[in-house]
Amino acid sequence: GQQVMQIPQYQHVQEGEDFTTYCNSSTTLSNIQWYKQRPGGHPVFLIQLVKSGEVKKQKRLTFQFGEAKKNSSLHITATQTTDVGTYFCAGPGKTSYDKVIFGPGTSLSVIP
Amino acid sequence: DAGVTQSPTHLIKTRGQQVTLRCSPKSGHDTVSWYQQALGQGPQFIFQYYEEEERQRGNFPDRFSGHQFPNYSSELNVNALLLGDSALYLCASSLAWRRSSGNTIYFGEGSWLTVV
């Protein structure tokens, strides 16, 4: 079945440094979604990418969807303590009708 | 505009007992998915309900069952609880497949289940 992997599992950065997490799927995705979960909270939707090679920005966050629609990345520029949390990528399978499968997440710690 | 609401927020059960968790989807949403999130892991898909029927199911035993009501709200039932069932149970709502090109899901705050 479909598997979604993320690296790294954990990342500790000094405040102001950049951060990147990578997501890979074993199958082609119809779209890729990113979620953020703060400690003790629930996953919150950040963004969805649909097109091959698509790049979207949200302030200091840059999201990219690979050409083959099997990988994605999230890059945070100049991290802040408010960025602390676990970032999950998730995607349905070949069609948007499929169940949304989550990766294991990358936990980001920001040292002030 | 109400978001996804879940109840109860926390509960403790004993091994072998049964539990029912409840979810009301976001206003305007008609599809409910349930996820189990163990500590330090990503959400694991349990099943999805649409039009009061289970449409898709993840790799969970039959002890996990659900229901969707005409008002789109949903219940998750777990029978014969095991210690390993201790987790955060998340309900997520979305629009029906046929009307949604992205199937973006919105989570409730979850129900923390501890089995002792």
Side-chain angles (χ1 to χ4, degrees):
Chain A
Q2 177 192 0
Q3 293 186 0
V4 179
M5 296 147 282
Q6 284 184 255
I7 56 169
Q9 185 177 1
Y10 303 97
Q11 185 78 57
H12 305 277
V13 300
Q14 201 77 32
E15 187 172 19
E17 290 182 340
D18 292 355
F19 159 77
T20 304
T21 174
Y22 299 91
C23 173
N24 286 282
S25 171
S26 59
T27 60
T28 301
L29 300 170
S30 61
N31 65 77
I32 190 84
Q33 301 162 23
W34 285 91
Y35 295 78
K36 177 184 178 181
Q37 185 173 23
R38 295 181 184 274
H42 62 282
V44 174
F45 173 77
L46 293 177
I47 206 164
Q48 176 182 279
L49 304 171
V50 179
K51 298 177 183 178
S52 170
E54 187 172 11
V55 178
K56 286 188 177 181
K57 292 189 176 184
Q58 287 181 350
K59 298 181 181 178
R60 294 178 295 104
L61 278 61
T62 301
F63 304 84
Q64 186 170 7
F65 200 10
E67 294 291 338
K69 301 185 76 173
K70 295 180 69 174
N71 61 287
S72 180
S73 65
L74 158 60
H75 179 81
I76 302 178
T77 303
T79 55
Q80 300 175 358
T81 55
T82 53
D83 296 325
V84 166
T86 301
Y87 293 85
F88 295 99
C89 65
K94 290 185 177 180
T95 77
S96 62
Y97 305 155
D98 289 341
K99 55 185 178 287
V100 177
I101 302 299
F102 280 73
T106 295
S107 178
L108 172 63
S109 299
V110 179
I111 305 165
Chain B
D1 181 22
V4 181
T5 58
Q6 291 186 243
S7 64
T9 54
H10 295 82
L11 69 166
I12 301 174
K13 290 286 187 177
T14 305
R15 273 182 302 175
Q17 284 189 316
Q18 178 264 346
V19 67
T20 297
L21 308 178
R22 296 176 178 82
C23 171
S24 292
K26 181 178 169 66
S27 179
H29 285 184
D30 52 13
T31 301
V32 173
S33 302
W34 285 92
Y35 288 80
Q36 180 196 66
Q37 186 177 26
L39 206 59
Q41 296 183 19
Q44 300 295 311
F45 179 81
I46 302 175
F47 42 53
Q48 181 184 77
Y49 277 84
Y50 170 64
E51 291 183 333
E52 303 178 49
E53 289 190 14
E54 183 183 297
R55 300 291 177 171
Q56 298 192 72
R57 190 178 183 92
N59 190 26
F60 279 81
D62 292 344
R63 297 186 298 109
F64 291 77
S65 63
H67 189 78
Q68 186 179 35
F69 300 94
N71 67 353
Y72 307 127
S73 67
S74 177
E75 289 182 350
L76 164 65
N77 301 292
V78 187
N79 295 321
L81 285 167
L82 304 173
L83 296 179
D85 295 332
S86 296
L88 175 65
Y89 287 85
L90 294 160
C91 171
S93 75
S94 59
L95 285 171
W97 318 326
R98 292 172 179 82
R99 296 197 297 274
S100 171
S101 61
N103 202 21
T104 304
I105 58 178
Y106 295 87
F107 284 95
E109 295 190 3
S111 295
W112 288 95
L113 170 65
T114 301
V115 182
V116 297

